[in-house]
Amino acid sequence: MKILVCNVGSTSLKFKLYDMPACTVLSQGKAERVGSLDDAIFQYENLQTGSLLNEEKTAIPDYRAGIRRYLDCLTDPQTGVLSSVSQIERVGYKTTLSKNHFGDHELTDEVIEGMCAWLPLATLHNTGYLQAIGVMREALPDAIFLGCFETGFHRDIPLERRLYGVPYEWYERYGVQRLGYHSASHGYIADVLGKISGGSYRAISCHLGGSSSVCAIQDGKSVDTSFGMSLQSGLIHAARVGDMDCDLYEFLRHEGLSDAQIHEGFEKKGGLLGISGVSSDLRYIEAAAKDGNERARLAIEVFVSGIVHYIGSFYMDLGGLDYLVFTAGIGENSDFLRRRVCEKLGVLGVVLDNAKNEACHGTLLELTGQDSKVRVFAIPTNEELGIARRTYDYVRP
Ligand code: ADP
């Protein structure tokens, strides 16, 4: 069965076409800077032949153009792996949020309505998905569409760790509670650790990328996470603020900022970018810090402190720790960031093997140092594979 996995970012589209149940990736593609008429990037790779298409400074004015471009490549005689897109039987999406739908759900009208109903909690993400799903429906009218919602892995978190201190009716009437995200990634890490441990374990998974979250995992289940109800919570993110004191909104209005300015500060000009003033990309911030830029150094330390704060708290939740995992763009690639976090965890008996850490960029590697009480790993996440499997396994009720 041919299954297309589709990951929609606020300005990006990522695709992987799987042949299931073999889990073979036939082709992958991505469009970045969607919305640009002259500066978008489109990449397509046929993994059967190894042929690669790389277009920079191209026009991808909207999601429709990006999706069309990928689907055309799939059937093009030069680059294609399919004779017709109708061979795609199912599409799995790494969807973010839908009211009252937390696990894997076929994208029926009701589920789509749930995505619209909770739009304010995930405006950028849900808007992108709603557009992309609509375009894809036109192109693949007979395919089954499955939404693997990013909140699904955290449904087992006990209520005492999900409730905010708000009037209880808000939880009952509006569903106000901490939901958690990055389910595809933390769920994949839990699967890998299940194989490594062969039994029961306590782990903390640090998904550090454009968005970042920490998740406490016990025996394959999430028992706590740093994200709250919206994506505007938890750790500082690339350009989003993360946890915020709710009275600051009124305070900043009182100081003369407009609603638009406050939103922009929280959502687009905050986080690593906001503190460093350098970039939202940690690579540039690390380079600036090495050159003596004090705000860049500070941004890294704020990020590290937040990660360590959650790890300490989750250590107590779990009653100890067997595995500490770093994953996603930063976690997999930044030896500097991993070292800074582990240095602060010495009190928990975490010891990193510095040579292995420095050599590890984007590969699965155990980084545990001598006499460490906790095994440390870098594990490249594979969100798409988990979604392909779940989409393949889905049985219509
Ligand atoms: P997203 O959350 O957008 O899916 P990723 O998980 O791919 O993002 O992470 C992207 C981020 O990873 C980049 O913004 C960059 O900051 C960071 N990154 C990638 N490689 C490195 C590296 N070698 N050193 C530090 N940071 C890196």
Side-chain angles (χ1 to χ4, degrees):
M1 182 192 290
K2 305 288 184 285
I3 289 183
L4 180 62
V5 175
C6 187
N7 186 351
V8 183
S10 51
T11 60
S12 68
L13 288 163
K14 290 182 196 156
F15 307 97
K16 267 191 187 176
L17 182 71
Y18 284 86
D19 192 18
M20 300 298 284
C23 299
T24 310
V25 183
L26 301 175
S27 102
Q28 59 189 12
K30 67 176 173 183
E32 288 179 297
R33 300 192 196 121
V34 173
S36 173
L37 290 175
D38 56 9
D39 195 28
I41 297 171
F42 179 79
Q43 287 174 345
Y44 174 91
E45 190 176 1
N46 176 332
L47 285 115
Q48 303 300 101
T49 61
S51 77
L52 195 68
L53 202 77
N54 193 0
E55 292 175 9
E56 292 185 15
K57 307 250 174 241
T58 184
I60 304 185
D62 51 24
Y63 287 111
R64 180 178 298 277
I67 290 169
R68 211 45 281 163
R69 191 85 190 77
Y70 178 72
L71 294 180
D72 286 348
C73 282
L74 279 183
T75 50
D76 184 282
Q78 300 287 319
T79 56
V81 288
L82 301 176
S83 52
S84 158
V85 289
S86 64
Q87 288 175 270
I88 300 171
E89 289 182 52
R90 295 183 175 196
V91 186
Y93 294 90
K94 189 166 75 88
T95 36
T96 308
L97 183 65
S98 171
K99 182 180 179 182
N100 299 335
H101 303 98
F102 301 106
D104 298 345
H105 295 275
E106 197 166 338
L107 293 171
T108 59
D109 290 347
E110 190 196 338
V111 176
I112 298 280
E113 272 167 30
M115 292 173 74
C116 297
W118 275 6
L119 202 58
L121 292 167
T123 314
L124 287 177
H125 295 78
N126 273 13
T127 306
Y129 270 108
L130 289 166
Q131 284 179 23
I133 290 164
V135 173
M136 202 73 98
R137 266 237 203 276
E138 290 170 20
L140 306 173
D142 299 324
I144 290 179
F145 284 19
L146 193 76
C148 299
F149 285 91
E150 280 285 73
T151 47
F153 185 55
H154 305 293
R155 296 313 289 164
D156 294 316
I157 296 179
L159 193 56
E160 67 262 29
R161 296 198 199 118
R162 276 194 280 129
L163 280 186
Y164 290 113
V166 294
Y168 193 74
E169 310 86 78
W170 293 8
Y171 162 63
E172 291 180 307
R173 190 176 304 165
Y174 308 119
V176 172
Q177 63 190 290
R178 293 175 50 234
L179 294 174
Y181 293 89
H182 288 157
S183 283
S185 178
H186 294 307
Y188 175 81
I189 298 300
D191 287 347
V192 175
L193 291 178
K195 287 184 192 115
I196 290 172
S197 73
S200 111
Y201 67 87
R202 298 158 300 181
I204 294 177
S205 163
C206 304
H207 175 111
L208 310 175
S211 290
S212 297
S213 72
V214 181
C215 179
I217 303 172
Q218 182 138 30
D219 304 339
K221 290 186 171 175
S222 168
V223 292
D224 210 341
T225 185
S226 57
F227 261 133
M229 184 163 186
S230 79
L231 292 140
Q232 189 58 291
S233 56
L235 296 170
I236 61 166
H237 306 280
R240 295 202 314 276
V241 65
D243 274 345
M244 189 29 50
D245 175 340
C246 38
D247 275 1
L248 274 195
Y249 202 98
E250 279 309 316
F251 169 73
L252 291 167
R253 285 175 93 179
H254 179 258
E255 289 293 304
L257 293 192
S258 66
D259 285 349
Q261 285 172 316
I262 300 171
H263 275 294
E264 190 178 45
F266 284 168
E267 282 167 21
K268 295 191 178 137
K269 292 188 171 171
L272 288 167
L273 170 67
I275 299 172
S276 70
V278 172
S279 169
S280 57
D281 189 322
L282 191 70
R283 283 167 286 202
Y284 296 114
I285 303 173
E286 282 184 13
K290 278 193 191 117
D291 287 344
N293 182 317
E294 175 53 22
R295 274 177 53 189
R297 189 198 65 79
L298 196 58
I300 294 168
E301 290 307 310
V302 171
F303 189 40
V304 168
S305 293
I307 298 164
V308 169
H309 166 88
Y310 280 108
I311 292 174
S313 162
F314 294 169
Y315 184 93
M316 301 305 287
D317 281 349
L318 291 164
L321 189 62
D322 302 307
Y323 304 118
L324 175 66
V325 177
F326 292 96
T327 190
I330 295 172
E332 291 163 27
N333 293 299
S334 174
D335 56 290
F336 174 75
L337 203 283
R338 290 190 299 250
R339 179 167 58 76
R340 281 300 294 134
V341 170
C342 290
E343 277 169 358
K344 292 201 157 199
L345 296 177
V347 68
L348 304 184
V350 173
V351 182
L352 195 64
D353 182 317
N354 285 324
K356 283 189 184 155
N357 181 49
E358 278 169 31
C360 176
H361 299 114
T363 46
L364 193 163
L365 202 63
E366 179 160 3
L367 311 173
T368 314
Q370 210 173 3
D371 299 327
S372 183
K373 292 199 178 110
V374 177
R375 290 177 71 185
V376 184
F377 286 87
I379 303 180
T381 195
N382 193 340
E383 299 165 300
E384 291 85 2
L385 178 61
I387 289 171
R389 285 188 180 137
R390 283 149 62 185
T391 306
Y392 178 72
D393 289 341
Y394 173 74
V395 180
R396 264 188 167 153

